[in-house]
Amino acid sequence: MLPPGPRLPSAAQTAWFMLDPAGAFDRLHRRYGPIFTVRYFGFPPEVYVTTAELAEEVFRTDQGGGLAGAARRDFLEPLVGAHSVLTLDGDAWSRHRKALTPPLRARQVAGYHDEITDIAAEKIATWPLGVPIALRDLMQDITLEVIIRLVFGIRDAERLGRLRALLPRLIKFGGSMSVAMLPARLRERAAAAPFLPYARFLKLRAGVDAILYEEIARRRQDETDGTDVLSRLLASGLTDEEIRDELVTLLIAGHETTATSLAWAFERLLRLPHVLERLPDDEPYLDAVVKEVMRVRPAVYEAPRLLDAPLRLGGHEIPAGVYAGPFIPLVHHDPVAFPSPGEFRPERFLDGQQNRAWMPFGGGRRFCVGAQLALLEMRVIIREVLHRLDLTAPDPAPEPRRLTNVTFTPARLTRVIARARSLDRTS
Ligand code: HEM
């Protein structure tokens, strides 16, 4: 028997969640406790859990019984292809994960520190001053550039220009309902109808792929070793097609999530002057602030597995064919794991201890492979912004959470007014 959940028709449950995601889940949690079932229109039921213990039981299915790849495949495959660590499972997933892990380890990404600083400084210098700006979009501009230059390693000005123009459109199209929600069996027919968004998406994708394959071919010929992630993937034994899919995967998994987390960091900091005051030069405190932001405003709200075997969870026997996963914002508000969870207290992360209830990057074997890069980017970019600019929020009310693709985004995209710092904190 599935755990309890709302009896509304699935279309109504879907609409409720889209309109008021945070409110809907708070209500369900209060009513049903730490495990409940939600039904989205057109999908198998999804069992959500809200404690670290139950989440760990779900993550344990990565060793057998749960498929993280299958849970994401339908809506991600048009964009990332058939050879992506996001959508594969089993042996194929293991092989890809082994290729991607080494270049994204903490020690490797530490080498990107100065280049991320330069990219952030270049971009910040172009921001308009004295007028309201949407920080989320500006953050996305920085994180996209990090992927193009440090992950893809593209230096050629002409290719850089083409990618900068094409990628934002590809991502927007790929994440739109008309592409991501198009059932796999209809894709071939949709591709043949040039007026449909899917066919336009395919054209864009072909444009991006041409650049990526050109770069892969060029690099296979050039013997010199680069420090970017692509250079390391070329030596990993993956084929060109597999490498193309993984490059797009890192882009899709890595840039919007990081930009949204950064947007939340500024949204929170501008409303917490006593925290902002201690930034950015106290390094351990900055690191703790980043972690506390990701606790109170995790960008990705769930990490589901599609069960391919029954699972005993929280006293229920969940059948195969159902999704199960943590609802991350609620796990992060469990008062047992995080005392006074409503308070913003970076100090809880200052002792360096791991808290297993902190899961903005998911868990189990499918734990985010880019977590170290994301954390580094966040620290560097926050520091660069605060060194150069004074930010204020034109509307002091907190920004509510809005659902965009797979992330919770600040509803006003973190609206701020930037002014040049009167005292240069870099000196
Ligand atoms: C703050 C930024 C980020 C957040 C919040 C985030 C969050 C997540 C989450 C929740 C998962 C799912 C884990 C699970 O199912 O248990 C995940 C997976 C993944 N992330 Fe991230 N991520 C971020 C940045 C990045 C970056 C920068 C990259 C790479 C450049 C990246 C690459 C990936 C990949 C490839 C996976 C799939 C791993 C697998 O299935 O084996 N992520 N991420």
Side-chain angles (χ1 to χ4, degrees):
M1 262 269 283
L2 286 173
R7 300 224 181 101
L8 294 165
S10 59
Q13 295 192 34
T14 311
W16 185 25
F17 181 54
M18 305 268 265
L19 290 173
D20 179 21
F25 275 85
D26 281 343
R27 283 267 299 272
L28 296 176
H29 184 227
R30 274 201 303 275
R31 168 109 197 250
Y32 301 109
I35 178 164
F36 49 83
T37 306
V38 173
R39 288 178 167 79
Y40 298 112
F41 186 70
F43 291 91
E46 177 149 0
V47 173
Y48 284 101
V49 299
T50 67
T51 66
E53 288 70 25
L54 291 170
E56 272 180 7
E57 285 180 44
V58 176
F59 291 146
R60 220 171 285 136
T61 67
D62 289 346
Q63 295 162 41
L67 303 172
R72 307 169 183 149
R73 192 166 306 140
D74 276 356
F75 49 97
L76 278 178
E77 211 169 74
L79 205 47
V80 299
H83 315 281
S84 158
V85 75
L86 273 168
T87 56
L88 291 168
D89 289 298
D91 291 345
W93 169 79
S94 279
R95 197 167 68 83
H96 279 245
R97 179 88 191 199
K98 276 202 190 96
L100 285 182
T101 301
L104 290 166
R105 284 209 183 100
R107 208 144 49 93
Q108 296 295 338
V109 301
Y112 297 148
H113 177 280
D114 293 354
E115 227 173 322
I116 299 174
T117 309
D118 293 346
I119 291 173
E122 263 171 45
K123 296 281 182 186
I124 295 166
T126 67
W127 292 2
L129 302 179
V131 290
I133 47 179
L135 215 49
R136 211 296 289 248
D137 295 345
L138 296 170
M139 290 296 154
Q140 199 143 308
D141 196 29
I142 301 180
T143 58
L144 182 69
E145 193 72 11
V146 168
I147 303 270
I148 297 180
R149 288 209 235 160
L150 302 185
V151 177
F152 298 0
I154 297 195
R155 308 272 147 184
D156 175 80
E158 190 262 336
R159 271 191 208 127
L160 271 174
R162 273 198 285 157
L163 271 182
R164 281 191 198 118
L166 286 175
L167 286 179
R169 287 167 58 208
L170 179 79
I171 295 156
K172 204 164 163 209
F173 247 104
S176 68
M177 299 288 267
S178 46
V179 172
M181 302 304 257
L182 183 71
R185 65 193 152 79
L186 297 182
R187 279 185 206 144
E188 214 172 302
R189 259 195 281 162
F195 51 88
L196 285 184
Y198 188 70
R200 301 214 314 269
F201 159 76
L202 289 182
K203 209 166 150 217
L204 265 176
R205 192 180 73 181
V208 169
D209 285 359
I211 304 174
L212 295 180
Y213 281 123
E214 269 167 38
E215 186 69 18
I216 294 170
R218 194 181 66 75
R219 252 22 129 68
R220 289 236 191 249
Q221 284 187 343
D222 181 3
E223 297 290 298
T224 50
D225 259 358
T227 54
D228 49 83
V229 175
L230 170 57
S231 297
R232 297 186 172 119
L233 288 181
L234 288 168
S236 70
L238 297 184
T239 65
D240 288 2
E241 197 185 348
E242 289 173 324
I243 291 180
R244 174 272 171 211
D245 286 0
E246 292 303 9
L247 291 179
V248 177
T249 295
L250 296 176
L251 166 78
I252 296 306
H255 92 292
E256 188 182 330
T257 45
T258 311
T260 301
S261 303
L262 276 159
W264 279 122
F266 289 102
E267 190 278 342
R268 289 290 78 210
L269 287 172
L270 294 189
R271 287 154 183 92
L272 298 160
H274 65 288
V275 179
L276 188 58
E277 208 176 71
R278 279 184 67 179
L279 292 176
D281 292 320
D282 179 341
E283 269 288 326
Y285 190 68
L286 173 59
D287 179 60
V289 165
V290 165
K291 290 181 173 144
E292 181 69 342
V293 166
M294 298 185 85
R295 181 186 73 81
V296 298
R297 294 290 186 275
V300 179
Y301 57 86
E302 64 174 355
R305 308 296 187 250
L306 181 62
L307 300 181
D308 64 342
L311 175 69
R312 183 120 198 108
L313 188 64
H316 300 268
E317 183 77 9
I318 319 287
V322 166
Y323 297 110
F327 190 75
I328 298 170
L330 285 171
V331 177
H332 284 177
H333 275 77
D334 181 350
V336 178
F338 300 103
S340 310
E343 282 175 28
F344 190 93
R345 285 215 318 247
E347 289 73 14
R348 43 177 125 236
F349 292 101
L350 274 179
D351 62 5
Q353 296 287 315
Q354 290 271 2
N355 183 333
R356 63 200 179 99
W358 186 75
M359 51 182 71
F361 294 110
R365 289 190 182 170
R366 307 298 293 242
F367 179 84
C368 173
V369 77
Q372 294 304 327
L373 177 59
L375 290 169
L376 175 69
E377 280 185 69
M378 289 185 68
R379 290 193 302 269
V380 169
I381 295 167
I382 293 173
R383 196 171 47 219
E384 285 311 301
V385 171
L386 295 181
H387 269 155
R388 289 176 160 71
L389 300 173
D390 276 322
L391 299 180
T392 48
D395 178 355
E399 297 201 17
R401 287 174 240 206
R402 195 182 69 188
L403 191 68
T404 349
N405 298 339
V406 294
T407 57
F408 274 168
T409 315
R412 296 191 294 278
L413 302 177
T414 307
R415 254 168 85 84
V416 303
I417 296 178
R419 293 196 172 77
R421 277 201 68 78
S422 34
L423 269 176
D424 185 359
R425 286 197 228 175
T426 50
S427 55

